[in-house]
Amino acid sequence: MNTTNGAKSDGPSVLDVVALLTDLPAQRLARGQVGTVVEQLDARTSLVEFSDEQGRAYAIAPCPRAELLTLHYVPEAA
């Protein structure tokens, strides 16, 4: 995780909203499901909480950072 010239580090940070890029059948999670990073377990793995529309958590799973897409709600420079 190296930042250069003010660029954001690779992968999501704690409290980032993310979407799964692949299925995680062992956790019963499908590609595209949205969750929130709650902890960085190590350089390659984030703990992600998945919640329903009422905010009730239905899964908390370790996810490979390479399999997460950080979602943005405001425009950011590419």
Side-chain angles (χ1 to χ4, degrees), residues 11 15-16 29 38 40 55 57 64 67 71-72 76:
L15 299 182
D16 278 351
L29 296 168
V38 293
Q40 299 298 348
E67 300 302 329
L71 302 179
H72 303 279
E76 290 191 18

Side-chain angles (χ1 to χ4, degrees), residues 31-73:
R31 181 180 187 269
Q33 285 189 271
V34 176
T36 302
V37 176
V38 293
E39 186 176 343
Q40 299 298 348
L41 299 177
D42 59 36
R44 296 182 186 173
T45 311
S46 296
L47 189 64
V48 180
E49 179 180 277
F50 298 88
S51 301
D52 64 18
E53 291 177 346
Q54 285 75 41
R56 294 182 296 247
Y58 60 84
I60 299 175
C63 300
R65 291 169 55 100
E67 300 302 329
L68 298 172
L69 172 66
T70 303
L71 302 179
H72 303 279
Y73 294 98

